[in-house]
């Protein structure tokens, strides 16, 4: 260690305590004798101090490292140990430039002297081995520089050897003292200002934690305002420019007010810093504090002979074992629990593992709800909830019967696999509610998920648990919600699935809906097989067209056709009217709708295969009547009892209650027209009439097709024209088919139309145009026409017949291949409208046109 390093440590310690140390007026004889207070004029050596402001009544240690300062101190020692300390600024400040120095001298290059400084006495000087010196300065009074002059350093005066001994002059200045702040004991306003400053400084010292107790005591004891300002200005950790401002203010009131404003500003800054630091520290230490508390609780529990964390893990393990999962699942859960025990409770991985084990604990692994084996009860429940739907109900009853016979032989409920049913039908026909009725009839839990718009495979299979916020897919989530291994699971709107870059959910369902695979369904999150083989899956769809074939192949299709007027009437009377009476507060009223009134609503205010719109219209009627009953003072006390309200709704009342009729018949011509024939179409909302119009004009045998037709329907029109050309020798054409252009149009061109079942209708319209003979009115037809003239069977038979019936058709021509389908229809539909079955086009045209269009001998 160098010999002066110990001294430097001592000086550093002295600076920490003595930098703010105040020498009292009775601090020593030498100080009392030498103290000068505000002399008129005197000339003192200038000592430049960099970034350091000396105030009167304060003592500070200063290290002098530049040659000008060392020379100034040495010359001051010859002048009664007194000098004038001023803080040097750069050349942008306001002050007095020093006298010119010789070329190469230090101190005159850009530095200026402020006009204000402090006269000071050198209390102690210590020369250091490296040539620098340390002095302790005591401030005496404030003063301003009147003028500066430069004096040469005497040749024998440089009694030291510095690192760069080349200074030949020093500066002295004539000083004019700045008067101190006057104070009298009777000056209450100034005394109040002093008390406010002392109080603010006490608050400041409490916030900063850097003010020595000696300084605080000195400030609290003093009543001299000049001394007070000097002590506080020296103690405050503020910028040098602000200290110079406080040193240079001449007006006493302004100086006190500036000091108080500075104190209040620093207090506010410290308060904001403390608030910000507290918030940041609170956030940073929260996790550490929780960790320490958890560790302390752990140690306390150990001392008490119990470990809460271990108890919790043991309880979790016992809960998993109580679920009786397969051995593979139990081994996986125990492995994850062992990993969990080794982790800190607050670590992110611990939360992931805990959530995973809790999912295993919450899933049903061996819980089964007992199935109802009472066929009569199940049938009664199904009939209570839904009208007709014979095929679907029969299939459920068959499953119950097989379940009853097979349960005893298989040894338990897990022995029989659940079927995969798919209910296909128009909207509003009760497919979803039928799934709920199936669950009630079987005595099972019911869960439902909607697949409409699902386009992410992870919605079915889940995310791997390494992802943040990962969860199992909808299948596993629904199984936990069900709580049993054999619920009725409804997958609604399966034809509305779609796929994108995130995967194909329809492909993910292949494993779920395959009875041979779903016993080992593996969710990405669970990573263990889960048995879905005993689940009764029911899917619903409006059309088979939106279901991929591999998925369709795994399901048992049960068609739920639209309702006819007779069925809608029965549903309205048995289900909809009682339901809406109860929901609209009219259950106690004597309110009825006549059968004819219901038929009018069905025909002219709704046009659908289901009954949703019918339910809404009935609800509208009852809301209007509820309002009428309230106006007549029926209902809540003190009004008249609702049982006294009577009303019968007849067809004549409907326009007043529902407004004008919304629907009329389809575009159907009741009179005979050449080139016009009437087909039948199936839509997702039911059946509809499909009129076809054809006109012929001179040309080259071209075919123009309009009406927003699809490719299949356009091909049917070309097939019809080709067949007529080949069979022209059998009919009396009045137009030359080779020199006539034909324009086929299907009205309501804004509606897209497609399908092959209009083939016979298109051919009939073309034949009527060629023969200039109108078909018989009141006849509708449907069937696919081949190039050889055969008429093939079609789908949607019930909906098409209902459309013909609704539009007043007298006869319907059907393909002979649909005879079995017709015989399965309800008796009221079969008896409502006559049908004619045909095998080929000639038979159909004979019914439409008679024999007048045939050639003799044909």
């Amino acid at each position: 260690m160098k010999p002066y390093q110990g001294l430097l440590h001592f000086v550093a310690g002295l600076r920490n305590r003595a930098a703010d140390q105040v020498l009292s007026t009775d601090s020593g004889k030498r100080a009392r004798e030498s103290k000068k207070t505000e002399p008129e004029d005197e000339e003192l050596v200038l000592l430049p101090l960099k970034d350091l402001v000396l105030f009167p009544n304060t003592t500070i240690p200063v290290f002098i490292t530049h040659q000008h300062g060392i020379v100034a101190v040495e010359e001051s020692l010859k002048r009664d140990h007194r000098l004038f300390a001023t803080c040097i600024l750069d050349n942008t400040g306001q002050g007095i430039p020093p006298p010119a120095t010789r070329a190469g001298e230090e101190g005159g290059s850009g530095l200026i002297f402020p006009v204000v400084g402090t006269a000071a006495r050198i209390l102690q000087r210590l020369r250091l081995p490296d040539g620098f010196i340390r002095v302790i300065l005591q401030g005496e009074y404030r003063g301003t520089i009147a003028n500066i002059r430069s004096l040469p350093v005497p040749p024998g005066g440089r009694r030291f050897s510095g690192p760069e001994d080349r200074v030949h002059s020093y500066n002295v200045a004539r000083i004019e003292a700045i008067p101190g702040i006057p104070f009298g004991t009777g000056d209450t306003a100034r005394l109040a200002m002093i008390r406010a400053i002392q109080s603010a400084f006490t608050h400041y010292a409490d916030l900063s934690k850097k003010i020595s107790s000696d300084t605080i005591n000195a400030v609290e004891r003093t009543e001299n305002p000049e001394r007070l300002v000097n002590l506080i200005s020296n103690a405050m950790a503020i910028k040098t420019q602000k200290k110079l401002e406080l040193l240079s203010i001449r007006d006493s009131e302004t100086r006190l007010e500036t000091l108080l404003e500075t104190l209040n500003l620093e207090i506010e800054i410290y308060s904001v810093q403390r608030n910000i630091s507290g918030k940041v520290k609170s956030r940073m230490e929260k996790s550490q504090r929780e960790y320490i508390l958890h560790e302390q609780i752990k140690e306390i529990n150990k001392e008490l002979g119990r470990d809460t964390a271990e108890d919790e893990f043991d309880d979790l393990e016992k809960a998993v074992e109580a679920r009786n999962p397969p051995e593979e699942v139990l081994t996986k859960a125990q492995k994850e629990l062992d990993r969990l025990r080794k982790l800190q409770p607050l670590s992110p991985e611990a939360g992931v593992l805990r959530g995973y084990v809790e999912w295993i604990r919450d899933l049903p692994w061996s819980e089964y709800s007992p199935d109802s084996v009472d066929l009569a009860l199940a049938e009664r429940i199904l009939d209570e909830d839904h009208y007709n739907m014979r095929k679907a109900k029969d299939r459920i009853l068959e499953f119950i019967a097989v379940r009853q016979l097979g349960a005893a032989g298989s040894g338990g409920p897990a022995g029989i696999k659940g079927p995969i049913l798919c209910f296909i039908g128009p909207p509003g026909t009760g497919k979803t509610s039928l799934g709920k009725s199936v669950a009630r009839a079987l005595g099972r839990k019911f869960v439902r998920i909607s697949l409409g718009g699902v386009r992410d495979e992870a919605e079915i299979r889940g995310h791997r648990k390494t992802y943040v916020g990962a969860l199992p897919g909808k299948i596993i989530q629904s199984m936990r919600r069900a709580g049993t291994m054999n619920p009725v699971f409804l997958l609604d709107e399966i034809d509305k699935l779609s796929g994108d870059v995130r995967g194909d959910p329809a492909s993910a369902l292949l494993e779920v809906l395959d009875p041979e695979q779903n016993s080992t369904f593996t969710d990405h999150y669970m990573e263990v097989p889960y048995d879905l083989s005993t689940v009764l899956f029911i899917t619903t769809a409006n059309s088979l067209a939106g279901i991929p074939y591999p998925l369709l192949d795994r399901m048992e299709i049960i068609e739920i056709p639209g309702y006819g007027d007779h069925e809608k009437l029965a549903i309205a009377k048995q289900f909809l009217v009682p339901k809406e009476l109860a929901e609209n507060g009219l259950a106690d009223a004597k309110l009825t709708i006549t059968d004819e009134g219901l038929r009018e609503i069905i025909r002219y205010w709704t046009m659908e295969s289901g009954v949703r719109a019918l339910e809404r219209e009935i609800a509208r009627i009852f809301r209007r009547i509820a309002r009428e009953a309230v106006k007549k003072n029926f209902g809540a006390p003190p009004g008249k009892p609702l049982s006294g309200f009577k009303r019968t709704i007849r067809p004549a009342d409907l326009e007043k209650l529902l407004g004008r009729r919304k629907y009329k018949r389809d575009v159907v011509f009741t009179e005979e027209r050449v080139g016009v024939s009437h087909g039948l179409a199936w839509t997702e909302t039911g059946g509809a009439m499909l009129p076809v119009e054809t006109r012929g004009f001179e040309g080259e045998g071209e075919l123009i097709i309009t009406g927003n037709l699809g490719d299949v329907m356009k091909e049917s029109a070309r097939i019809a024209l080709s067949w007529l050309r080949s069979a022209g020798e059998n009919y009396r054409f009045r137009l030359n088919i080779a020199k006539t252009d034909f324009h086929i149009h299907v009205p309501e061109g804004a509606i897209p139309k497609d399908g092959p079942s209009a083939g016979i209708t298109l051919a009939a319209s073309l034949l009527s145009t060629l023969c200039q003979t109108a078909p018989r009115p009141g006849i509708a037809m449907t069937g696919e026409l081949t190039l050889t003239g055969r008429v093939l069977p079609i789908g949607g038979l019930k909906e098409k017949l209902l459309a013909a019936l609704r539009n007043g058709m007298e006869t319907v021509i059907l393909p002979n291949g649909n005879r079995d389908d017709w015989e399965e229809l309800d008796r009221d539909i079969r008896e409502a409208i006559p049908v004619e079955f045909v095998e080929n086009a000639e038979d159909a045209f004979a019914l439409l046109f008679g024999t007048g269009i045939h050639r003799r001998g044909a």
Side-chain angles (χ1 to χ4, degrees):
M1 178 182 290
K2 294 183 180 180
Y4 59 88
Q5 284 185 344
L7 180 61
L8 291 177
H9 288 298
F10 167 76
V11 171
L14 179 64
R15 188 170 187 176
N16 289 337
R17 284 196 60 199
D20 299 336
Q21 181 68 38
V22 181
L23 294 182
S24 60
T25 55
D26 56 348
S27 60
K29 180 178 180 180
R30 179 181 177 185
R32 290 197 303 270
E33 293 175 353
S34 61
K35 183 178 181 182
K36 286 188 171 185
T37 306
E38 302 174 8
E40 292 296 329
D41 264 328
E42 63 178 329
E43 191 175 64
L44 298 174
V45 177
L46 282 177
L47 174 63
L49 301 177
K50 187 176 182 181
D51 293 329
L52 186 61
V53 180
L54 174 64
F55 284 88
N57 311 112
T58 63
T59 302
I60 61 172
V62 181
F63 284 89
I64 309 296
T65 60
H66 55 88
Q67 296 304 314
H68 282 284
I70 295 173
V71 170
V73 170
E74 294 295 336
E75 294 301 322
S76 299
L77 292 174
K78 302 174 185 178
R79 296 173 175 246
D80 198 18
H81 290 230
R82 298 180 68 247
L83 49 76
F84 191 76
T86 179
C87 180
I88 60 173
L89 301 173
D90 58 22
N91 53 14
T92 62
Q94 299 296 323
I96 300 175
T101 58
R102 293 194 298 269
E105 288 191 354
E106 186 180 3
S109 57
L111 295 178
I112 61 174
F113 293 97
V115 296
V116 68
T118 303
R121 177 173 295 278
I122 301 175
L123 298 181
Q124 186 183 47
R125 182 202 64 175
L126 178 65
R127 190 182 302 279
L128 303 178
D130 55 5
F132 301 147
I133 62 174
R134 183 198 59 97
V135 295
I136 296 178
L137 301 178
Q138 178 188 359
E140 293 181 345
Y141 64 89
R142 298 182 294 148
T144 58
I145 300 173
N147 57 56
I148 300 175
R149 62 191 181 93
S150 180
L151 299 177
V153 178
R158 288 178 290 173
R159 302 182 301 276
F160 64 94
S161 177
E164 294 184 9
D165 187 12
R166 55 189 179 90
V167 177
H168 302 282
S169 65
Y170 62 96
N171 298 314
V172 295
R174 186 169 61 83
I175 307 302
E176 295 179 355
I178 298 175
I181 302 175
F183 177 69
T185 56
D187 193 347
T188 56
R190 183 158 294 176
L191 182 60
M193 176 69 76
I194 291 173
R195 297 287 171 81
I197 292 174
Q198 288 173 330
S199 175
F201 180 74
T202 303
H203 189 192
Y204 171 82
D206 181 61
L207 290 172
S208 69
K209 307 295 184 183
K210 295 178 181 180
I211 309 299
S212 66
S213 59
D214 294 336
T215 303
I216 296 173
N217 293 332
V219 170
E220 291 177 348
R221 286 196 303 268
T222 187
E223 294 184 356
N224 186 322
E226 177 73 15
R227 177 181 174 83
L228 181 70
V229 174
N230 293 332
L231 292 176
I232 293 177
S233 300
N234 180 70
M236 291 173 64
I238 56 179
K239 292 183 177 180
T240 304
Q241 289 84 349
K242 193 65 179 180
K243 286 194 174 187
L244 280 174
E245 179 186 349
L246 290 170
L247 183 68
S248 61
I249 296 174
R250 289 177 173 271
D251 183 70
S252 58
E253 296 296 335
T254 304
R255 195 173 186 217
L256 288 171
E257 290 174 358
T258 303
L259 178 62
L260 184 58
E261 290 175 1
T262 305
L263 275 171
N264 289 332
L265 178 61
E266 293 297 314
I267 288 171
E268 184 176 353
I269 293 173
Y270 269 115
S271 299
V272 173
Q273 287 179 343
R274 173 178 286 188
N275 188 25
I276 294 173
S277 299
K279 290 180 179 179
V280 173
K281 185 177 180 181
S282 176
R283 286 196 296 267
M284 291 177 62
E285 293 181 352
K286 181 178 178 182
S287 60
Q288 298 177 356
R289 184 169 62 251
E290 291 179 353
Y291 172 75
I292 292 172
L293 290 174
H294 278 290
E295 291 298 317
Q296 289 176 347
I297 292 172
K298 186 185 296 184
E299 293 300 322
I300 292 172
N301 287 324
K302 286 182 179 179
E303 291 295 328
L304 295 175
R306 63 176 184 269
D307 190 341
T308 303
E310 287 300 323
D311 291 346
E312 184 180 353
F313 294 147
D314 291 341
D315 292 342
L316 194 57
E317 186 173 4
K318 291 177 182 177
V320 171
E321 293 174 352
R323 286 287 191 175
N324 194 24
E327 187 65 29
E328 181 182 355
V329 178
L330 186 59
T331 302
K332 176 73 172 177
Q334 290 172 343
K335 179 181 177 181
E336 299 299 340
L337 276 171
D338 291 341
R339 291 179 58 196
L340 184 59
R341 287 187 174 99
K342 298 175 184 178
L343 296 174
Q344 294 295 339
L346 298 178
S347 67
E349 189 177 0
V352 173
L353 291 179
R354 181 185 295 273
Y356 176 77
V357 177
E358 288 175 351
W359 269 100
I360 293 179
R361 177 199 64 189
D362 295 341
L363 280 174
W365 296 98
S366 58
E367 295 83 1
Y368 294 87
S369 55
D371 283 347
S372 171
V373 293
D374 190 342
L375 281 176
L377 176 62
E379 187 172 6
R380 186 168 66 250
I381 291 174
L382 293 173
D383 289 338
E384 285 176 358
D385 294 344
H386 292 85
Y387 179 80
N388 204 347
M389 294 190 179
R390 201 68 263 156
K391 285 185 179 180
K393 292 178 180 179
D394 288 344
R395 182 63 184 89
I396 300 304
L397 294 176
E398 290 167 4
F399 172 74
I400 295 175
V402 173
R403 185 81 175 169
Q404 182 177 358
L405 294 175
S410 62
I416 300 178
K417 295 180 180 180
I420 315 294
L421 307 180
C422 180
F423 294 159
I424 297 288
T429 51
K431 299 182 294 296
T432 303
S433 60
L434 179 59
K436 295 180 182 179
S437 296
V438 170
R440 194 161 75 92
L442 290 172
R444 295 189 179 190
K445 296 291 184 66
F446 176 77
V447 288
R448 169 188 170 273
I449 62 174
S450 177
L451 299 177
V454 173
R455 55 180 63 238
D456 188 356
E457 179 192 357
E459 294 284 342
I460 306 299
R461 288 187 174 274
H463 291 87
R464 301 193 185 280
K465 63 176 182 286
T466 52
Y467 292 99
V468 176
L471 284 174
K474 291 182 178 292
I475 302 296
I476 294 297
Q477 291 183 35
S478 299
M479 292 302 295
R480 183 178 74 166
R481 194 165 65 248
T484 63
M485 293 285 288
N486 60 338
V488 174
F489 202 127
L490 182 71
L491 301 171
D492 213 1
E493 308 293 349
I494 196 171
D495 58 328
K496 308 299 190 300
L497 282 172
S498 57
D500 59 11
V501 294
R502 292 170 291 183
D504 182 10
S507 298
L509 283 174
L510 293 177
E511 182 183 6
V512 176
L513 300 181
D514 191 338
E516 301 299 325
Q517 298 182 36
N518 61 12
S519 59
T520 56
F521 171 72
T522 302
D523 186 274
H524 288 160
Y525 180 86
M526 300 305 298
E527 297 178 344
V528 291
Y530 191 82
D531 187 5
L532 298 174
S533 61
T534 56
V535 176
L536 173 55
F537 284 103
I538 297 177
T539 66
T540 69
N542 298 129
S543 172
L544 296 177
I547 305 175
Y549 178 76
L551 192 59
L552 189 64
D553 185 57
R554 286 164 166 79
M555 299 184 292
E556 182 179 345
I557 306 300
I558 298 178
E559 292 187 4
I560 298 182
Y563 299 117
D565 290 356
H566 176 75
E567 292 170 311
K568 290 181 180 180
L569 177 63
I571 292 171
K573 291 171 63 177
Q574 296 179 28
F575 301 100
L576 302 183
V577 170
K579 175 185 175 183
E580 294 303 325
L581 283 173
E583 290 186 359
N584 290 279
L586 296 170
D588 296 333
K590 296 178 181 178
L591 186 63
T592 58
I593 304 178
T594 63
D595 290 358
E596 193 57 36
L598 288 172
R599 287 192 184 95
E600 289 285 308
I601 298 172
I602 293 167
R603 291 172 183 170
Y604 301 112
W605 276 271
T606 67
M607 182 171 287
E608 58 174 350
S609 294
V611 292
R612 284 196 183 125
L614 177 60
E615 184 177 5
R616 286 194 292 268
E617 297 302 323
I618 293 173
R620 282 181 61 195
I621 291 174
F622 290 155
R623 287 195 300 270
R624 297 283 177 88
I625 294 176
R627 180 180 176 185
E628 179 183 330
V630 172
K631 286 183 177 180
K632 292 181 179 180
N633 201 25
F634 285 95
K640 295 180 286 186
L642 196 58
S643 58
F645 183 76
K646 299 180 180 180
R647 181 73 184 272
T648 300
I649 293 94
R650 296 180 172 84
D653 304 321
L654 293 179
E655 289 202 8
K656 181 180 178 182
L657 294 170
L658 297 177
R660 290 189 176 183
R661 294 179 177 181
K662 294 182 179 180
Y663 301 102
K664 299 179 180 179
R665 291 182 176 181
D666 294 338
V667 181
V668 176
F669 299 104
T670 55
E671 70 278 6
E672 294 184 356
R673 289 198 177 193
V674 174
V676 177
S677 60
H678 295 96
L680 296 170
W682 178 92
T683 68
E684 290 187 1
T685 59
M689 295 297 298
L690 189 73
V692 177
E693 303 173 348
T694 302
R695 286 292 180 266
F697 44 87
E698 282 191 34
E700 298 178 355
E702 293 183 0
L703 182 63
I704 302 171
I705 304 173
T706 58
N708 200 357
L709 308 186
D711 291 339
V712 176
M713 199 165 179
K714 290 178 181 178
E715 291 176 358
S716 297
R718 295 188 182 96
I719 291 171
L721 183 58
S722 296
W723 182 83
L724 287 172
R725 286 183 180 183
S726 66
E729 59 185 15
N730 298 326
Y731 297 98
R732 296 177 179 177
F733 291 164
R734 296 189 179 183
L735 298 178
N736 187 341
I737 195 170
K739 296 182 180 181
T740 302
D741 289 345
F742 297 95
H743 185 169
I744 298 178
H745 177 69
V746 182
E748 296 181 307
I751 302 174
K753 311 167 189 72
D754 203 1
S757 63
I760 189 65
T761 311
L762 293 165
S765 178
L766 284 168
L767 182 60
S768 174
T769 302
L770 285 167
C771 297
Q772 291 295 294
T773 303
R776 294 174 180 173
I779 298 180
M781 68 205 77
T782 181
E784 178 182 354
L785 180 66
T786 69
L787 203 56
T788 59
R790 294 178 58 206
V791 179
L792 302 183
I794 45 82
L797 177 61
K798 182 178 179 180
E799 287 79 6
K800 292 178 178 181
L801 289 177
L802 292 175
L805 187 62
R806 185 174 62 246
N807 286 278
M809 293 289 107
E810 299 174 359
T811 305
V812 176
I813 298 175
L814 298 177
N816 195 49
N818 286 113
R819 187 182 295 272
D820 293 339
D821 298 327
W822 179 79
E823 292 176 351
E824 290 183 1
L825 294 176
D826 293 336
R827 183 177 178 181
D828 59 322
I829 296 178
R830 292 188 314 223
E831 294 178 352
I833 186 169
V835 298
E836 297 288 344
F837 295 100
V838 296
E839 189 70 37
N840 49 54
E842 289 89 344
D843 297 341
F845 295 154
L847 294 171
L848 279 171
F849 300 100
T851 59
I853 62 172
H854 287 78
R855 292 181 185 272
R856 291 182 181 178

